[in-house]
Amino acid sequence: MKRRTPLAGVAVATLALLGQTLISSGTTAQAESLLSTGKPTTTSSVEAAEFGGGNAVDGSTTTRWASEEGVDPQWIAVDLGGTSTVTKVKLNWEAAYAKTYKIQGSADGRTWTDIKSIVGGDGGIDEHLGLNASARHIRVHGTARGTTYGYSLWELEVYGDRVGGDTQAPTVPTGLAASATTVDSVTLGWTASTDNVGVTEYEVLRDGNVVGTTGTTTYTDSGLASGVEFGYSVRARDAAGNVSAASPAIRAATKPGGTGPVTLALAGDIANPELFSTHQGTANQVAKINPQYVLTVGDNQYHKGTISEYRAHYDKTWGKFKSITKPTTGNHEWDDQLRGYKEYFGAIAYPQGLPYYSYDIGDFHFVAMDSNPIYTGGGSEQVTWLRNDLAKNTKSCVIGYWHHPRFNSGNSGDKKQMAPLWNELARVKADMVITGHDHHYERTKPLDVNGHIDEANGVRSVIAGIGGDYLYTDYKAREGVEKILAKHGVMKLMLNGKSYSWEIHDTNGNVLDKAGPYTCR
């Protein structure tokens, strides 16, 4: 229920009379207690370190939790320290509010039950009364943002009554330190906590979120990106579910990958004769990135991809990187039946005698495909080649790139024609597919063969058709999109052992997006 104005005088008088009646009859109303202040929190993400979840339960309306911007869903949860009867949840939203969200409860912080669903929220202060739910953990789970930003709360207040029993939390663990690190793991150790009954387990937090539990005083956090620093803390839990405050945080970094770092630059839809200054600008950013390799995702040269067009335009900007370029074709190259493309790039474009090929960089296996025959309903021999190539691959990391997207928020939309290529990559749990064709940038969470989010087995999709041609702005973010924009620029892709990350640099050198690092499967 929204609370924005004080009660009218008549209502106040009525409540006062009701209170006198209850007292005179010997019945007293049980007072609600604020249960959440200073309690441990976990969050789906934070916009920056200064916007941690603890800010939402510190009793101050000048500090706040803020999630990553532009991504649904997001959540914040608070551990009340013991099983409680929750009667009210009060939310004080910052400007970045939830339009659709749920209040959820849990006994263990892992399995959640919906208490109340809210549709059509408009920010400000929300008070949800009469909940009467039994829970130890309360979560605000946002599924639709009210703005283009993220989710942000000045305060999350949970009211009710604590159920009896053991209410004493263990002492805070001390002496947390990293005892060993590898390229993809950090091993932690600490001094045991004490408790009036007994500690049952420890929760390990990485950058403020629980990543594992253990019954001992050691824990190995594995599957991490190489050469990256993380923040760790630990808290103790007893049999009654009481949880200590988190230990002071430490920083620990995985070792750099044995074959990294390697830097690549990438874009598609590049050299339009009418827009020389834009592909000159993106080429200047490639030069500043100073990559070991340059990848293109098709439509390298407009309008027909003839050799005369390549020499007059592409060659004067991106051509300076030709010796380190690993290109792919686009539909405009096919307007000239690949004659100009093949003559300009030579063996670079046909390293295995075909306009599609594969190669390895460190722990990464790249497949560069010729998507136009697939898009127009043919190319079955190419799909067979891809299947056989992936079957022979021995590298941990797999990235595919070509021109036409399978999943796309732009005006071309999702294209089922591209399913044969996408499905082969999804079958081997490839890490990412990068495409062009629509002249914007977008990245998604891992998607399955039907375009639904599948964090465990899906493939990340990136569209990078921002190399120099006219931009398309008529996009509408589809399921799974984490970031979308329309500005000319270059993708700076960084490989480090078995992990990867990237940035999008515009023609002025500004970083428009950062993603990763992600660890290969």
Side-chain angles (χ1 to χ4, degrees):
M1 181 184 298
K2 188 75 65 175
R3 293 294 186 194
R4 298 193 182 278
T5 57
L7 292 170
V10 173
V12 171
T14 301
L15 287 174
L17 179 60
L18 176 61
Q20 291 174 355
T21 301
L22 289 172
I23 292 171
S24 63
S25 65
T27 303
T28 57
Q30 193 171 22
E32 291 178 320
S33 299
L34 178 57
L35 305 174
S36 52
T37 301
K39 294 297 193 298
T41 61
T42 52
T43 63
S44 54
S45 68
V46 293
E47 181 183 350
E50 62 267 30
F51 299 121
N55 291 340
V57 293
D58 63 358
S60 171
T61 55
T62 61
T63 60
R64 61 188 174 95
W65 164 67
S67 75
E68 178 184 1
E69 292 185 353
V71 180
D72 294 311
Q74 299 286 341
W75 52 264
I76 179 172
V78 58
D79 181 350
L80 303 177
T83 302
S84 305
T85 299
V86 175
T87 55
K88 179 175 74 174
V89 172
K90 180 179 178 181
L91 306 176
N92 185 350
W93 295 101
E94 196 254 349
Y97 66 94
K99 182 170 60 177
T100 304
Y101 64 98
K102 295 179 178 181
I103 305 295
Q104 299 175 314
S106 172
D108 58 7
R110 300 178 179 90
T111 302
W112 297 91
T113 300
D114 294 347
I115 298 173
K116 185 174 183 180
S117 297
I118 296 88
V119 177
D122 59 359
I125 295 178
D126 293 339
E127 282 191 87
H128 304 289
L129 308 175
L131 301 179
N132 195 32
S134 177
R136 174 180 179 131
H137 303 261
I138 292 294
R139 182 165 77 169
V140 180
H141 189 269
T143 55
R145 289 164 287 122
T147 70
T148 58
Y149 301 106
Y151 297 85
S152 185
L153 283 166
W154 293 112
E155 283 295 295
L156 160 59
E157 297 179 357
V158 180
Y159 292 84
D161 294 292
R162 179 74 178 270
V163 177
D166 177 17
T167 61
Q168 182 174 327
T171 61
V172 177
T174 59
L176 178 63
S179 58
T181 61
T182 69
V183 294
D184 62 359
S185 69
V186 173
T187 298
L188 303 166
W190 57 90
T191 301
S193 298
T194 60
D195 184 67
N196 63 318
V197 177
V199 174
T200 57
E201 67 176 7
Y202 296 90
E203 297 178 341
V204 179
L205 295 83
R206 183 202 317 137
D207 295 327
N209 292 309
V210 175
V211 293
T213 60
T214 176
T216 70
T217 55
T218 63
Y219 181 82
T220 297
D221 188 21
S222 58
L224 302 173
S226 306
V228 178
E229 186 178 68
F230 303 95
Y232 288 100
S233 56
V234 181
R235 60 195 189 200
R237 180 189 290 268
D238 66 18
N242 300 300
V243 179
S244 73
S247 67
I250 65 164
R251 307 294 296 179
T254 51
K255 293 179 179 178
T259 55
V262 176
T263 300
L264 302 84
L266 180 147
D269 305 274
I270 299 170
N272 187 324
E274 302 162 9
L275 298 173
F276 181 85
S277 63
T278 57
H279 63 91
Q280 177 68 71
T282 56
N284 290 342
Q285 289 309 309
V286 174
K288 290 180 180 178
I289 291 170
N290 191 27
Q292 285 99 319
Y293 301 93
V294 171
L295 280 55
T296 71
V297 286
D299 282 2
N300 313 295
Q301 178 61 62
Y302 293 87
H303 293 286
K304 299 291 184 180
T306 64
I307 186 59
S308 61
E309 288 176 325
Y310 263 101
R311 288 170 177 165
H313 306 287
Y314 182 96
D315 190 60
K316 290 180 169 56
T317 57
W318 283 62
K320 67 184 70 175
F321 314 112
K322 185 163 73 169
S323 64
I324 59 170
T325 297
K326 296 185 178 295
T328 58
T329 66
N331 51 289
H332 283 274
E333 276 79 23
W334 271 97
D335 285 343
D336 189 43
Q337 296 302 300
L338 302 188
R339 288 186 293 261
Y341 173 80
K342 185 174 181 179
E343 183 174 350
Y344 180 75
F345 285 111
I348 292 173
Y350 282 70
Q352 299 167 12
L354 298 166
Y356 46 90
Y357 54 96
S358 66
Y359 56 93
D360 297 332
I361 302 175
D363 290 302
F364 283 77
H365 183 67
F366 285 84
V367 287
M369 307 306 295
D370 176 24
S371 65
N372 203 65
I374 309 293
Y375 188 76
T376 54
S380 60
E381 75 287 346
Q382 189 175 169
V383 177
T384 300
W385 176 92
L386 175 60
R387 183 179 305 121
N388 293 335
D389 177 85
L390 294 173
K392 292 182 290 186
N393 170 53
T394 60
K395 300 297 183 179
S396 301
C397 313
V398 177
I399 293 178
Y401 64 105
W402 57 79
H403 187 58
H404 297 86
R406 169 65 180 95
F407 302 109
N408 179 12
S409 298
N411 59 21
S412 294
D414 294 354
K415 293 299 181 184
K416 290 184 178 179
Q417 301 98 303
M418 302 313 302
L421 293 185
W422 179 275
N423 292 355
E424 291 300 324
L425 273 293
R427 186 174 58 83
V428 299
K429 297 184 180 181
D431 297 284
M432 179 164 59
V433 166
I434 313 171
T435 58
H437 195 52
D438 260 40
H439 301 175
H440 69 279
Y441 164 77
E442 71 173 271
R443 63 174 166 92
T444 71
K445 293 178 180 292
L447 303 176
D448 66 14
V449 295
N450 298 309
H452 300 308
I453 297 170
D454 183 350
E455 297 275 9
N457 302 303
V459 182
R460 297 184 188 279
S461 174
V462 173
I463 297 175
I466 53 176
D469 195 21
Y470 293 103
L471 296 169
Y472 300 164
T473 58
D474 53 340
Y475 48 73
K476 183 177 181 181
R478 69 174 315 283
E479 178 186 349
V481 168
E482 295 181 308
K483 187 74 173 184
I484 189 166
L485 57 89
K487 294 193 80 172
H488 290 114
V490 177
M491 180 179 180
K492 178 183 178 182
L493 175 61
M494 295 157 283
L495 317 179
N496 190 350
K498 297 179 182 179
S499 64
Y500 62 102
S501 61
W502 71 89
E503 300 172 347
I504 299 299
H505 293 212
D506 71 10
T507 52
N508 294 317
N510 300 309
V511 177
L512 304 180
D513 187 35
K514 289 185 177 183
Y518 305 111
T519 300
C520 300
R521 295 193 177 94

